[in-house]
Amino acid sequence: MATTSSRSNSNPGSDDDDSTPAMRRLRRLSLHLLQPEGPASSHLAPAACAARRRLEADAAALAAYMRGRHRAMQARVYEFYVARPELQTPVELPTAAHRELCFRQMAALVRDAGVRPLSLMAADPAEYFAVMEAVGGLDISLAIKVGVQYSLWGGSIINLGTKKHKEKFFDKIDNLEYPGCFAMTELHHGSNVQALQTTATFDPVNDEFIIDTPNDGAIKWWIGNAALHGKFATVFARLILPLQGKGGEPADMGIHAFIVPIRDLETHVVLPGIEINDCGHKIGLNGVDNGALRFRSVRIPRDNLLNRFGDVARDGKYTSSLPTINKRFAATLGELVGGRVGLAYSSVGVLKVAVTIAVRYALLRQQFGPPKQPEISVLDYQSHQHKLMPMLASAYAFHFARGYLVDKYSEMKKTNDEDLSADVHVLSSGLKSYITSYTAKSISICRESCGGHGYAAVNRFGGLRNDHDIFQTFEGDNTVLLQQVAGDLLKQYQQKFKGGTISVTWSYLRESMSTYLSQPNPVTARWEGEDHLRDPNFQLDAFRYRTSRLLHSVAARLQKHMKTLGGFGAWNRCLNHLLTLAESHIESIILARFIEAVKSCPDEKTREVLKLVCDLYALDRIWNDIGTYRNVDYVAPNKAKAIHKLVDYLSYQVRLVARELVDAFDLPDQIIRAPIGMQSEAYAQYTQFVGF
Amino acid sequence: MATTSSRSNSNPGSDDDDSTPAMRRLRRLSLHLLQPEGPASSHLAPAACAARRRLEADAAALAAYMRGRHRAMQARVYEFYVARPELQTPVELPTAAHRELCFRQMAALVRDAGVRPLSLMAADPAEYFAVMEAVGGLDISLAIKVGVQYSLWGGSIINLGTKKHKEKFFDKIDNLEYPGCFAMTELHHGSNVQALQTTATFDPVNDEFIIDTPNDGAIKWWIGNAALHGKFATVFARLILPLQGKGGEPADMGIHAFIVPIRDLETHVVLPGIEINDCGHKIGLNGVDNGALRFRSVRIPRDNLLNRFGDVARDGKYTSSLPTINKRFAATLGELVGGRVGLAYSSVGVLKVAVTIAVRYALLRQQFGPPKQPEISVLDYQSHQHKLMPMLASAYAFHFARGYLVDKYSEMKKTNDEDLSADVHVLSSGLKSYITSYTAKSISICRESCGGHGYAAVNRFGGLRNDHDIFQTFEGDNTVLLQQVAGDLLKQYQQKFKGGTISVTWSYLRESMSTYLSQPNPVTARWEGEDHLRDPNFQLDAFRYRTSRLLHSVAARLQKHMKTLGGFGAWNRCLNHLLTLAESHIESIILARFIEAVKSCPDEKTREVLKLVCDLYALDRIWNDIGTYRNVDYVAPNKAKAIHKLVDYLSYQVRLVARELVDAFDLPDQIIRAPIGMQSEAYAQYTQFVGF
């Protein structure tokens, strides 16, 4: 891990001359921090840059461009909850009460606000994700509770079931008559889904499956909705067919999904053979009731197999349109990609909230200042700009990337195109992983940048961080997902040499791999003018160069190590390299979308502001990885220095429009809620909250 | 911020050759993650290194060396609480109940266990810090509650008061008869203590001070013990002397500390003129009752001025042994350095707990594996070693650094040596800042590395992170403290040129500044043998080179910018650079102490293990900042690559003794508590906790 941020590479201005006499002034200077006195007529550092033209930002115009077609729906959700104070989540709430409130919040959305999430998901996924983000604005627990009910439980019926299942379950899931669970993870297995141990054995005599938990490690764990509210669970289990294996042994057909009733529809009592325990208090998301389930010979009708990709006939014979266990497994898991899209989407929403609070407070908060002059806003400190401005730029970058992801996902759902599916699978894995990791780190930085007042629960960072934390793990552990991205890149790389097709998202690899593999150009490596550094072509080339180089070198390393270590060993030997490759690729995609969004902006002033933000995003990322670029002389030392300087300057420029940039996120005060993040009267709202 | 970790710089093994035909195998490989099948006979990557000799670690011998002279006292504290189950903090607890429990925990320590913290602090500070760490093992809230009562409230009497105050308060603070507060921070001012606005105006007629809160921004905020338990507060306020200023105006004598009774000793009712509100629920530390105080003409006797550094006579005349307001202010704040030492110390304790849980679980948890072979421990994955092994090494490094800090602090308290005081001030600022930032980030990485089970509250990461989070802010914001380190370095730098003395801790600057300022040696820049890279001289030289270079270049930059921007503006213009310098200096100190500790270890086997850990610490830090070293050609590209490779290899080597390394922290299971962090039967303890 990096203990120090990108500052670590900091070593600008090495115009080293000793000049002993001036050191006396330095000493005085070194004491200023504690003792802000002295005669120096000073002004703020950034003033040196003020000669250049200052951009003006129009928050309303920015918001209009950022705002998608789902703003009306989100506003409707916000307004619904704002009008119902009894549905607001208090700052402190015991787990039991939080769970009940969370269910009431969800029920009100469906029954009172008339939102039908499952219908939305089926008809207009993009709108469904927008609703998810909006309810997450009320309480992230609610978004996850809704996600369990609709994305997971509902999604398993839609995506893995067939007509008979939809007829029986769709409406009752949608109107919440059937709250349900998605019982995949076990105590011993989360990431390695193929190693799940729960069994579903077909009983041809009674035409039933028998669900069993063979050992403690196979207890279904972390199952949302299970501790309290669920009436059904989609249980992932190994399908066992007696007599169908070699020599009449039982055949293990791999992982399939089954609908298992877990509580009585009338009495809500847990059904016989099922043991449910409460997973208890969590770091966050305590509005969601996670439970652990053990099955002891629980019988379900044959019809309860979700049989889209594989079916068992009355006589116990297995049929499937897909030839192998692995293909069926991939198809099954592939259908669950929507959850990942939703998490990437919502994570951007969480980042926006955190950044908005931190930036507004940094503008409000004043501490220290030049001698005999008023104190200055903490956002005027270079170190504070360094913490928050690239983060603000990233929130913009991710905003456009998630729009792209949702579009692709919606298109996939419409067309069922196979190549597009593969593309969306990798894109969602990569963006989910990259964005949630970034947001998780950023919330901590925001808290710290708000000092003591950032530690008050009412100011939100604790709740946001605790609730969001697990976004890095569920729906696919980030480290595992990045490996899927890397694996796909290697596949694409291979296809380049085989002359096959390459999916649209990374066609750049095909177009210009050879360029990237040639030696860096010693002339452009020295170009350090601002126009050049702010040229999107330079930026994108740098990102893509890095990806291509990492891809090419890891392929060679894998090949080398496979000889001695085998496939698994070689992969592990190159694992850090592979993860860096995946991140680099995702960054390339994000930058490309951002550049595209800047270009497409019709209003010139707004486009200029977005361009500034995009430049900061791009150059900050390049600077963070400057070691890589320097190592291969892609940039000369002076160019590296120029990039560093420009990142500081752009951070200062973005700071000048930071207020407008966060206002453009268009988040109402009732969603921000933190007193220190209010658009006006923040201190007054804070003292009032405490009781003065 | 760095979104990607040091992997970002990853680009090892560029033995690029295309070899199209082998790509088919790569494709198969790329699918292994989801579909672990295939014929490859594979073994684990690290096996390639297994040819070299494997170290053996003896946890008991390691523990014996690590263990200081305070182990007996810590064991006594642990055993006391373990024997009193009613004093354990449950996993979930409402704020009100937590606060009461926390007070009972503290009272039991003093009254039942017979520990007298204030006496300890006065007689043997090192033992006091060991007690603080031990009670933090029970509940970090308790450590902070004890810290408020003794380090802050008690410390203000001992360090800022005189004989009359100690006679009246010492025993009653020590036996908890007088719970008290330390009322420094105001709503508008935390870091900038000199700008506090609360006033204490002398009334010569009644021989009293009148304490006033002039506006909402001056409300004392975040005051521990104030919401519920405090009977007194040490209030920091501007001392105003009527008629003593120019032309008979009131004179503002700057910040002084006053003892203000806030609740009736008998009835515990809040005294007249004082308004106390509850700061409410916090991200963590909810066992501590923070309050906000407003004073309306509250009168206290003249004797209640803590008058060690300045006094007011009966006739209103001011006397002091120190000539200026700034000197008095520095002396006053200088006495409060103990709190900072305590936080650095305790933060290392928190890091050890988190790392222990994460490492033990990573050894237990198995997921995926080579085809047709058992799954492997997640700590066998290169990515997991990359996350946890440098962190484990850092915990060791910090352990020795904190020992050094406490020794220096104890010596200072004994000798009152002025140079030593300055040294301890900077050392404590730097280590507190560096260690708490590192620990805060590490807890999040530990949570994430434990996946879903890391999210269960019972497994501790949430509580540890939430409680520890504010360590980065209180007792001095980390960003502000690092600037004090940088300021001091500049002072030392100046003295080098003036020929004055340089304090012992950074004498290296004097000894060899000229070496560091010469051009890097083009020969050694290419040395890449393991013996060279693992030579402590190379490592320390690299760390110190970096510090010296950053110091020299920032001094030149400051001097340049002062001409146009003035002192404050120049400082701000170089702020990121200054912060990097401060971190680099602290890292140099930490490494030097670690190398010293390795050398001093009498047992050869143990010394070898510690050397391994120290090498990983050193080279991982160098690799993290490789951009800096490459930029000035301190290391050639091939050497950079060799360092990277060696960091991976050393991480693997440390992984082989990771169990013993965490066992050597000597933390009893009752302090670790997390089921997944138990030394044995972790899964069974976990299922049992949940109710199976």
Side-chain angles (χ1 to χ4, degrees):
Chain A
M1 65 170 272
T3 37
T4 54
S5 63
S6 59
R7 276 188 288 98
S8 308
N9 291 314
S10 166
N11 195 7
S14 67
D15 35 353
D16 301 352
D17 57 331
D18 285 354
S19 39
T20 317
M23 287 300 137
R24 213 162 308 126
R25 273 189 294 167
L26 280 180
R27 172 177 190 161
R28 227 185 300 132
L29 177 64
S30 74
L31 295 170
H32 271 155
L33 189 76
L34 267 180
Q35 305 167 8
E37 56 160 13
S41 89
S42 42
H43 43 90
L44 295 185
C49 308
R52 312 198 205 182
R53 188 171 66 88
R54 179 178 164 157
L55 281 183
E56 273 172 35
D58 177 341
L62 264 168
Y65 182 61
M66 302 276 288
R67 192 178 290 164
R69 65 180 170 91
H70 310 291
R71 183 64 194 171
M73 176 53 117
Q74 293 197 324
R76 180 178 147 201
V77 172
Y78 293 153
E79 280 157 24
F80 170 73
Y81 284 116
V82 167
R84 295 275 297 269
E86 80 281 9
L87 292 178
Q88 313 287 318
T89 308
V91 171
E92 187 185 7
L93 191 61
T95 291
H98 195 177
R99 289 168 167 189
E100 283 314 319
L101 173 63
C102 194
F103 189 84
R104 277 188 282 122
Q105 289 168 334
M106 177 165 70
L109 179 78
V110 174
R111 293 169 189 160
D112 304 346
V115 175
R116 282 288 180 279
L118 204 60
S119 305
L120 272 185
M121 192 208 289
D124 185 356
E127 182 107 332
Y128 172 77
F129 294 126
V131 168
M132 290 281 282
E133 185 191 36
V135 299
L138 183 75
D139 185 336
I140 302 179
S141 278
L142 174 59
I144 301 306
K145 185 90 175 170
V146 170
V148 169
Q149 173 70 10
Y150 295 99
S151 299
L152 296 180
W153 159 233
S156 70
I157 302 294
I158 292 182
N159 298 310
L160 305 179
T162 49
K163 191 155 167 280
K164 62 184 177 188
H165 301 112
K166 286 171 214 170
E167 280 170 358
K168 190 166 168 193
F169 287 97
F170 190 102
D171 287 342
K172 290 181 171 171
I173 292 174
D174 212 8
N175 69 17
L176 269 184
E177 202 176 318
Y178 286 174
C181 315
F182 183 84
M184 180 182 269
T185 297
E186 297 174 356
L187 175 62
H188 282 187
H189 289 99
S191 295
N192 191 358
V193 175
Q194 274 201 316
L196 295 177
Q197 297 180 84
T198 302
T199 55
T201 308
F202 183 60
D203 169 7
V205 179
N206 296 297
D207 199 22
E208 290 172 332
F209 294 107
I210 308 164
I211 312 290
D212 266 303
T213 302
N215 58 57
D216 278 5
I219 294 170
K220 292 292 177 185
W221 208 276
W222 287 130
I223 310 308
N225 260 348
L228 287 181
H229 300 126
K231 292 196 184 291
F232 294 89
T234 292
V235 174
F236 287 79
R238 322 191 74 78
L239 170 61
I240 309 293
L241 296 179
L243 305 172
Q244 308 266 335
K246 265 187 284 187
E249 292 287 294
D252 179 342
M253 307 302 295
I255 303 298
H256 288 67
F258 304 83
I259 301 173
V260 182
I262 59 170
R263 286 190 176 86
D264 187 275
L265 286 180
E266 299 298 317
T267 65
H268 205 63
V269 169
V270 175
L271 294 174
I274 299 176
E275 183 184 2
I276 302 181
N277 281 303
D278 193 325
C279 288
H281 197 58
K282 302 187 295 290
I283 290 179
L285 298 182
N286 281 302
V288 182
D289 52 315
N290 293 84
L293 295 97
R294 186 205 288 275
F295 302 99
R296 292 189 175 88
S297 301
V298 175
R299 290 177 165 270
I300 55 170
R302 186 167 53 90
D303 265 353
N304 284 22
L305 168 64
L306 291 168
N307 58 343
R308 178 167 164 206
F309 296 117
D311 203 1
V312 175
R314 177 64 191 91
D315 63 357
K317 289 279 183 271
Y318 187 79
T319 52
S320 171
S321 55
L322 298 166
T324 66
I325 285 189
N326 284 337
K327 290 250 177 213
R328 291 193 289 271
F329 180 72
T332 302
L333 259 62
E335 283 302 332
L336 306 174
V337 72
R340 223 163 267 168
V341 175
L343 287 185
Y345 194 97
S346 293
S347 183
V348 179
V350 173
L351 181 60
K352 286 178 183 172
V353 171
V355 170
T356 299
I357 298 169
V359 166
R360 288 195 181 141
Y361 179 69
L363 288 164
L364 170 75
R365 181 72 170 182
Q366 302 192 322
Q367 208 81 180
F368 298 107
K372 319 241 182 224
Q373 288 179 47
E375 292 185 302
I376 64 169
S377 292
V378 294
L379 197 52
D380 283 323
Y381 287 101
Q382 190 185 51
S383 54
H384 224 79
Q385 291 166 13
H386 175 75
K387 278 177 200 162
L388 296 181
M389 295 302 96
M391 195 191 293
L392 177 54
S394 297
Y396 269 79
F398 298 167
H399 173 87
F400 296 112
R402 82 172 185 183
Y404 176 70
L405 172 63
V406 166
D407 288 349
K408 287 271 166 194
Y409 176 81
S410 304
E411 196 187 329
M412 174 195 93
K413 278 289 172 191
K414 254 188 228 150
T415 62
N416 280 313
D417 179 83
E418 206 173 297
D419 285 346
L420 189 57
S421 293
D423 212 0
V424 168
H425 176 73
V426 179
L427 194 60
S428 63
S429 297
L431 286 174
K432 181 273 189 186
S433 170
Y434 189 84
I435 292 173
T436 60
S437 289
Y438 188 94
T439 297
K441 288 194 193 83
S442 298
I443 298 169
S444 283
I445 294 170
C446 287
R447 196 304 291 162
E448 192 239 320
S449 78
C450 291
H453 296 318
Y455 199 58
V458 71
N459 287 325
R460 305 281 312 274
F461 297 117
L464 291 173
R465 178 172 58 197
N466 288 337
D467 287 343
H468 178 277
D469 193 7
I470 199 66
F471 280 41
Q472 300 172 96
T473 302
F474 61 15
E475 300 279 327
D477 175 272
N478 283 358
T479 305
V480 174
L481 293 182
L482 286 177
Q483 291 180 62
Q484 298 187 2
V485 175
D488 188 74
L489 283 167
L490 285 163
K491 197 174 92 180
Q492 306 278 344
Y493 183 74
Q494 178 201 17
Q495 290 182 343
K496 171 181 141 60
F497 289 92
K498 281 170 58 186
T501 57
I502 285 189
S503 66
V504 178
T505 314
W506 22 95
S507 54
Y508 71 85
L509 293 173
R510 181 187 194 70
E511 285 162 13
S512 43
M513 177 64 94
S514 50
T515 315
Y516 303 127
L517 293 180
S518 60
Q519 287 304 308
N521 181 330
V523 176
T524 57
R526 286 171 201 287
W527 287 0
E528 56 179 80
E530 185 174 330
D531 284 350
H532 168 66
L533 298 178
R534 296 184 69 172
D535 180 345
N537 291 321
F538 158 69
Q539 297 162 1
L540 209 47
D541 277 350
F543 275 53
R544 290 173 169 181
Y545 173 83
R546 183 166 172 256
T547 308
S548 298
R549 201 172 186 290
L550 285 164
L551 176 55
H552 190 69
S553 57
V554 86
R557 287 186 67 213
L558 280 171
Q559 194 200 332
K560 187 180 87 181
H561 289 304
M562 274 186 57
K563 291 170 198 159
T564 51
L565 303 174
F568 186 85
W571 187 267
N572 193 20
R573 189 64 174 272
C574 300
L575 197 44
N576 291 335
H577 193 158
L578 288 161
L579 296 172
T580 307
L581 163 66
E583 287 169 342
S584 176
H585 174 57
I586 296 300
E587 286 173 352
S588 302
I589 293 173
I590 292 171
L591 179 62
R593 302 323 308 171
F594 201 171
I595 290 171
E596 195 54 44
V598 173
K599 270 193 204 148
S600 310
C601 179
D603 175 55
E604 195 191 322
K605 263 193 176 175
T606 304
R607 193 168 59 241
E608 262 191 303
V609 172
L610 287 174
K611 170 80 168 61
L612 168 68
V613 176
C614 184
D615 287 343
L616 176 58
Y617 174 76
L619 293 168
D620 176 66
R621 294 303 310 133
I622 293 174
W623 173 247
N624 280 335
D625 298 319
I626 201 69
T628 302
Y629 291 108
R630 282 288 303 116
N631 259 354
V632 295
D633 280 319
Y634 188 84
V635 301
N638 276 344
K639 185 170 191 166
K641 216 172 275 178
I643 291 170
H644 187 195
K645 217 169 159 181
L646 190 52
V647 168
D648 279 351
Y649 173 68
L650 293 176
S651 291
Y652 161 68
Q653 284 281 319
V654 171
R655 176 261 171 271
L656 296 177
V657 290
R659 187 188 305 278
E660 291 78 7
L661 285 171
V662 299
D663 286 352
F665 289 148
D666 229 359
L667 293 162
D669 275 355
Q670 294 92 338
I671 294 303
I672 295 295
R673 290 197 294 283
I676 61 168
M678 292 294 102
Q679 289 178 275
S680 62
E681 300 292 326
Y683 275 132
Q685 298 208 37
Y686 191 28
T687 46
Q688 204 179 340
F689 171 81
V690 163
F692 289 99
Chain B
M1 64 170 273
T3 37
T4 53
S5 63
S6 60
R7 276 188 289 97
S8 307
N9 292 315
S10 163
N11 194 7
S14 68
D15 36 350
D16 300 353
D17 58 328
D18 283 356
S19 41
T20 317
M23 287 300 137
R24 214 162 307 125
R25 273 188 295 166
L26 281 178
R27 173 174 192 166
R28 227 185 302 132
L29 178 64
S30 74
L31 295 171
H32 272 154
L33 190 75
L34 267 180
Q35 306 167 7
E37 54 159 13
S41 91
S42 42
H43 43 92
L44 296 184
C49 307
R52 311 199 208 185
R53 189 169 65 86
R54 179 177 165 159
L55 282 183
E56 272 171 35
D58 177 341
L62 265 166
Y65 183 61
M66 302 276 287
R67 192 179 288 163
R69 65 180 170 90
H70 310 292
R71 182 64 192 172
M73 175 54 116
Q74 293 197 324
R76 177 178 149 200
V77 171
Y78 292 153
E79 280 157 25
F80 170 73
Y81 285 117
V82 167
R84 295 275 297 266
E86 81 280 11
L87 292 178
Q88 313 288 317
T89 309
V91 171
E92 188 185 6
L93 191 61
T95 291
H98 196 178
R99 287 167 167 189
E100 284 314 319
L101 174 63
C102 195
F103 190 84
R104 277 187 284 121
Q105 289 168 335
M106 176 165 69
L109 179 77
V110 174
R111 292 168 191 163
D112 304 344
V115 175
R116 282 288 180 280
L118 203 60
S119 305
L120 272 186
M121 192 208 288
D124 184 356
E127 183 106 331
Y128 173 77
F129 294 127
V131 168
M132 290 282 282
E133 185 191 36
V135 300
L138 183 75
D139 186 335
I140 302 179
S141 279
L142 174 59
I144 301 306
K145 185 92 176 170
V146 170
V148 169
Q149 173 69 10
Y150 295 99
S151 299
L152 296 180
W153 158 234
S156 69
I157 301 295
I158 293 183
N159 297 310
L160 305 180
T162 49
K163 191 156 166 278
K164 62 183 176 188
H165 301 112
K166 286 171 216 172
E167 280 169 359
K168 192 167 167 194
F169 287 97
F170 190 101
D171 288 342
K172 290 180 173 173
I173 291 174
D174 213 8
N175 68 18
L176 269 184
E177 202 176 319
Y178 287 174
C181 314
F182 183 84
M184 179 182 268
T185 297
E186 296 175 355
L187 175 62
H188 281 187
H189 289 98
S191 295
N192 191 359
V193 175
Q194 274 201 316
L196 295 177
Q197 297 180 83
T198 302
T199 54
T201 308
F202 184 60
D203 169 6
V205 177
N206 297 296
D207 198 24
E208 290 173 333
F209 294 107
I210 308 165
I211 312 290
D212 267 303
T213 303
N215 58 57
D216 278 4
I219 295 170
K220 292 292 177 186
W221 209 275
W222 287 131
I223 309 308
N225 260 349
L228 286 181
H229 299 127
K231 292 197 184 290
F232 295 87
T234 293
V235 174
F236 288 79
R238 320 191 73 78
L239 170 61
I240 308 294
L241 296 178
L243 307 169
Q244 309 265 335
K246 266 187 287 189
E249 292 285 293
D252 179 343
M253 307 303 292
I255 303 299
H256 288 67
F258 303 83
I259 300 172
V260 182
I262 59 171
R263 286 190 175 88
D264 187 275
L265 285 180
E266 299 298 317
T267 65
H268 205 64
V269 169
V270 175
L271 294 174
I274 299 176
E275 183 184 2
I276 303 182
N277 281 303
D278 193 324
C279 288
H281 197 59
K282 302 187 294 293
I283 289 180
L285 297 183
N286 280 304
V288 183
D289 54 314
N290 294 84
L293 295 98
R294 187 205 287 275
F295 302 98
R296 291 188 174 88
S297 301
V298 174
R299 290 178 166 270
I300 55 170
R302 184 167 54 90
D303 265 352
N304 285 20
L305 168 64
L306 290 168
N307 58 343
R308 178 167 165 204
F309 295 118
D311 203 1
V312 175
R314 178 64 193 90
D315 62 358
K317 288 281 183 273
Y318 187 80
T319 52
S320 170
S321 55
L322 298 166
T324 65
I325 286 189
N326 284 336
K327 289 253 179 212
R328 291 192 290 271
F329 181 71
T332 302
L333 258 61
E335 284 300 333
L336 306 174
V337 74
R340 223 163 267 168
V341 175
L343 287 185
Y345 194 96
S346 293
S347 183
V348 179
V350 174
L351 180 60
K352 286 179 184 172
V353 171
V355 170
T356 299
I357 298 169
V359 166
R360 288 197 182 140
Y361 179 69
L363 288 165
L364 170 74
R365 181 71 169 183
Q366 302 194 320
Q367 208 82 181
F368 299 107
K372 317 245 182 219
Q373 287 179 48
E375 293 185 301
I376 65 169
S377 292
V378 295
L379 197 52
D380 283 322
Y381 287 101
Q382 190 186 51
S383 54
H384 224 79
Q385 290 165 13
H386 176 75
K387 280 176 197 160
L388 298 181
M389 294 303 95
M391 193 191 292
L392 177 54
S394 296
Y396 269 79
F398 299 169
H399 173 87
F400 295 113
R402 81 173 185 182
Y404 175 71
L405 172 62
V406 165
D407 287 348
K408 287 269 168 196
Y409 177 80
S410 303
E411 195 187 330
M412 173 195 94
K413 278 289 170 191
K414 253 186 230 151
T415 61
N416 279 314
D417 179 83
E418 207 172 296
D419 284 347
L420 188 57
S421 293
D423 211 0
V424 168
H425 175 73
V426 178
L427 194 60
S428 64
S429 297
L431 286 174
K432 182 271 191 187
S433 170
Y434 189 84
I435 292 174
T436 59
S437 290
Y438 188 93
T439 297
K441 288 194 194 84
S442 298
I443 298 169
S444 283
I445 293 170
C446 287
R447 198 301 292 160
E448 192 238 322
S449 78
C450 292
H453 297 316
Y455 199 58
V458 71
N459 287 324
R460 306 281 313 273
F461 297 117
L464 292 174
R465 177 172 60 198
N466 289 336
D467 287 344
H468 177 277
D469 193 6
I470 199 66
F471 280 41
Q472 300 172 95
T473 302
F474 60 16
E475 300 280 326
D477 176 272
N478 282 358
T479 304
V480 174
L481 293 183
L482 285 177
Q483 290 179 63
Q484 299 187 1
V485 175
D488 188 75
L489 282 167
L490 285 162
K491 197 173 96 182
Q492 305 277 345
Y493 183 74
Q494 178 203 18
Q495 289 181 343
K496 173 182 140 57
F497 288 94
K498 280 169 59 185
T501 56
I502 285 190
S503 66
V504 178
T505 314
W506 22 94
S507 54
Y508 71 85
L509 293 173
R510 180 187 194 70
E511 285 162 14
S512 43
M513 177 65 95
S514 50
T515 316
Y516 303 128
L517 293 179
S518 62
Q519 286 304 308
N521 181 330
V523 177
T524 57
R526 286 171 200 289
W527 287 359
E528 55 179 78
E530 186 175 328
D531 285 349
H532 168 67
L533 297 178
R534 297 184 68 171
D535 179 347
N537 291 321
F538 158 68
Q539 298 162 1
L540 210 47
D541 277 350
F543 275 52
R544 290 172 170 182
Y545 172 84
R546 183 165 173 256
T547 308
S548 299
R549 198 171 190 291
L550 286 164
L551 175 55
H552 191 69
S553 56
V554 85
R557 286 186 67 212
L558 281 170
Q559 193 199 335
K560 186 180 88 181
H561 289 303
M562 275 187 56
K563 291 169 196 156
T564 51
L565 302 175
F568 186 86
W571 187 268
N572 193 19
R573 188 63 175 271
C574 301
L575 195 44
N576 291 336
H577 194 157
L578 288 160
L579 295 173
T580 306
L581 163 66
E583 287 169 342
S584 177
H585 174 58
I586 295 300
E587 286 174 352
S588 302
I589 292 173
I590 292 172
L591 179 62
R593 302 322 309 169
F594 201 171
I595 289 171
E596 195 53 44
V598 173
K599 269 193 206 148
S600 311
C601 180
D603 175 56
E604 195 192 321
K605 264 192 174 177
T606 304
R607 191 167 62 239
E608 262 191 303
V609 173
L610 287 173
K611 170 79 167 60
L612 168 69
V613 177
C614 184
D615 286 343
L616 176 58
Y617 174 77
L619 292 169
D620 176 67
R621 294 304 311 133
I622 293 174
W623 174 247
N624 280 335
D625 298 319
I626 201 70
T628 302
Y629 291 108
R630 282 290 301 118
N631 259 354
V632 294
D633 280 318
Y634 188 84
V635 300
N638 276 343
K639 185 170 190 165
K641 214 171 275 176
I643 291 171
H644 188 196
K645 217 169 160 180
L646 190 52
V647 168
D648 279 352
Y649 173 67
L650 294 176
S651 292
Y652 160 68
Q653 284 281 321
V654 171
R655 176 259 171 271
L656 296 178
V657 290
R659 185 187 307 279
E660 291 78 9
L661 286 170
V662 299
D663 286 352
F665 289 148
D666 229 0
L667 294 162
D669 275 355
Q670 294 92 338
I671 294 304
I672 296 294
R673 289 197 294 283
I676 62 168
M678 292 294 101
Q679 289 179 274
S680 62
E681 300 292 324
Y683 274 131
Q685 298 208 37
Y686 191 29
T687 46
Q688 204 179 340
F689 172 81
V690 161
F692 288 99

